[in-house]
Amino acid sequence: MMKHKFKSLAILLLCFMVACKDGKQTEKTGALLFPQGDKNTNSNFKGDVWVKSLVEPDSLNENAVGNVTFAAGARSNWHTHPAGQILLATEGVGYYQEKGKAKIILRKGDSIKCPPNLAHWHGASQDTAFVQIAITGRQHGPTKWLEPVSDEDYRGL
Ligand code: MN
């Protein structure tokens, strides 16, 4: 009877050790929530940006969902979304600014609802990379791209 109890405890301890090891491994490799995707090559962004489309819009749901990774200092140009956009910050530190308003600092766990047809930009902070999920309504057409963000606006408060 005692022997059986010891065996059960030993198995329990082994399971605990394996669980701890797995936990540490995940932490060490910093497993990505979503794939980073391909490096952007168009001129709508400045700096190193990677984009991965997660959900394509269709007739049942007209939202496009994408994972966007900005290297430190990288940002979008000014732009508008005809049906607005929701940004979910999943990693790092980023910036978001609407035309005529102060820049907002975004950290992991923050969310932003960007109104339709309002000029804005988003990107990483100067020193830290930033990852966001962008949910963009496509029912009123594609994103309209405007001028690059000046260094003054990027660094400004
Ligand atoms: Mn946007």
Side-chain angles (χ1 to χ4, degrees):
M1 194 66 181
M2 270 305 271
K3 207 173 178 185
H4 181 71
K5 208 171 188 180
F6 177 76
K7 202 175 170 187
S8 299
L9 272 173
I11 290 169
L12 204 66
L13 184 66
L14 192 69
C15 289
F16 179 72
M17 283 164 72
V18 169
C20 284
K21 189 172 167 273
D22 279 358
K24 267 182 193 156
Q25 270 180 344
T26 309
E27 214 171 277
K28 207 174 181 182
T29 52
L32 294 171
L33 184 55
F34 294 108
Q36 190 169 297
D38 299 322
K39 201 165 186 177
N40 172 68
T41 53
N42 67 52
S43 57
N44 297 325
F45 295 85
K46 181 179 180 179
D48 290 338
V49 177
W50 294 261
V51 180
K52 173 69 181 175
S53 174
L54 302 176
V55 179
E56 295 286 344
D58 61 24
S59 58
L60 293 176
N61 189 319
E62 297 186 63
N63 289 301
V65 183
N67 191 44
V68 188
T69 302
F70 295 91
R75 70 262 200 176
S76 72
N77 288 354
W78 288 96
H79 61 280
T80 65
H81 307 288
Q85 185 178 54
I86 291 168
L87 300 175
L88 307 174
T90 60
E91 203 60 66
V93 183
Y95 296 152
Y96 168 84
Q97 185 178 26
E98 296 176 352
K99 203 88 180 175
K101 289 190 183 176
K103 195 173 76 183
I104 293 171
I105 296 175
L106 298 177
R107 292 188 175 83
K108 184 176 182 172
D110 288 342
S111 59
I112 283 282
K113 193 184 256 182
C114 171
N117 299 310
L118 183 69
H120 68 282
W121 63 271
H122 26 117
S125 58
Q126 280 136 295
D127 305 318
T128 309
F130 179 61
V131 186
Q132 59 167 46
I133 301 282
I135 303 167
T136 313
R138 296 288 191 216
Q139 54 269 50
H140 303 309
T143 299
K144 288 176 186 152
W145 290 99
L146 307 167
E147 72 278 10
V149 176
S150 67
D151 288 341
E152 196 181 25
D153 278 340
Y154 178 71
R155 289 197 214 99
L157 293 173

